[in-house]
Amino acid sequence: MTGIQKTLFVLIAVIAVIFGLTVHKVLNGRNQGDPAALVDAGIILLPQSRQLPALELTDQDGQAVAVNQLKGQWSLLFFGYTYCPDICPTTLAQLRELKGKLPAEALERLRVVMISVDPQRDSPQQLKQYLGYFDAGFQGLTGELADIQKLASAVSIPFIPADTSKPNYTVDHSGNLVILGPDGTQRGFIRAPLNNQKLATQLPVLVGSEG
């Protein structure tokens, strides 16, 4: 191999490496942080993002919201209800505390949305009043039970509908949170119980990983 051929070979190899790294970056997005640290904080990312079903719910102001159009920010979805005796007030209080630990830039990129698993009692007005006890910035969604069940199943947070004929009924549901990316797709979960100390470190890394 001549000197010119060796030089060309080296140049081609370098170009191939650069191209490969560029493709890898494009396909995998910007850095989302240390996977082990994310898992330790309870953040479980999906290997592939999931589209949300095309259905409409009603927010705390009585406005229709297409759930597959929750875009522009990262979203934490929590399936709960206003008459919940334990999981919901605890989780919402933790999320309020977590917001106080996050830097301003991360807060601007993040919203919290509670989706009612008890639409019979959770009117938009009821949701607004209840969420206001925790944080006026928290959003709520309610609607037809069948639509809420469809959404819950799509994001793998199923719940057991209550027997609404019983007085003071409760609803069995999960305390896990759903993570939506700014493109409106599901990116993963946050496991309950929440570890705010670790989440306060890892969430800014995650939500800062793409616009």
Side-chain angles (χ1 to χ4, degrees):
M1 182 180 293
T2 66
I4 294 176
Q5 288 175 321
K6 288 181 180 179
T7 301
L8 287 174
F9 179 80
V10 171
L11 285 173
I12 291 171
V14 170
I15 291 170
V17 170
I18 294 173
F19 179 76
L21 291 173
T22 302
V23 170
H24 177 80
K25 183 177 181 180
V26 170
L27 291 177
N28 291 279
R30 294 168 62 186
N31 179 33
Q32 292 187 326
D34 177 10
L38 290 173
V39 172
D40 184 54
I43 299 173
I44 309 299
L45 298 181
L46 299 174
Q48 291 185 328
S49 61
R50 294 178 183 169
Q51 297 289 334
L52 269 61
L55 54 88
E56 282 193 351
L57 297 178
T58 303
D59 71 11
Q60 74 280 358
D61 295 317
Q63 302 298 311
V65 175
V67 297
N68 61 347
Q69 294 299 314
L70 290 171
K71 299 180 179 181
Q73 292 176 285
W74 289 81
S75 301
L76 300 182
L77 306 186
F78 171 60
F79 287 80
Y81 65 112
T82 64
Y83 287 82
C84 178
D86 40 37
I87 295 175
C88 301
T90 298
T91 300
L92 291 170
Q94 288 178 311
L95 287 170
R96 176 183 59 196
E97 178 189 71
L98 177 60
K99 284 186 65 176
K101 296 177 178 292
L102 296 176
E105 184 178 348
L107 287 174
E108 291 174 359
R109 292 172 170 262
L110 189 66
R111 65 178 151 224
V112 173
V113 183
M114 188 178 92
I115 300 172
S116 175
V117 295
D118 181 21
Q120 176 158 312
R121 292 182 294 192
D122 285 346
S123 65
Q125 297 80 7
Q126 173 73 10
L127 278 175
K128 187 169 186 175
Q129 181 180 28
Y130 180 76
L131 293 172
Y133 295 144
F134 298 95
D135 190 300
F138 288 172
Q139 299 177 33
L141 293 175
T142 188
E144 297 294 329
L145 180 60
D147 288 337
I148 296 168
Q149 285 186 289
K150 183 177 180 180
L151 175 60
S153 295
V155 296
S156 300
I157 305 285
F159 63 93
I160 302 174
D163 180 355
T164 58
S165 66
K166 295 181 179 179
N168 302 316
Y169 63 82
T170 58
V171 184
D172 291 330
H173 65 98
S174 172
N176 291 345
L177 307 180
V178 176
I179 302 172
L180 301 185
D183 61 352
T185 65
Q186 183 185 6
R187 302 299 184 83
F189 306 90
I190 297 179
R191 292 193 309 251
L194 305 183
N195 186 323
N196 279 356
Q197 183 175 355
K198 293 179 179 179
L199 286 172
T201 299
Q202 297 303 319
L203 267 181
V205 177
L206 178 66
V207 304
S209 65
E210 65 179 83

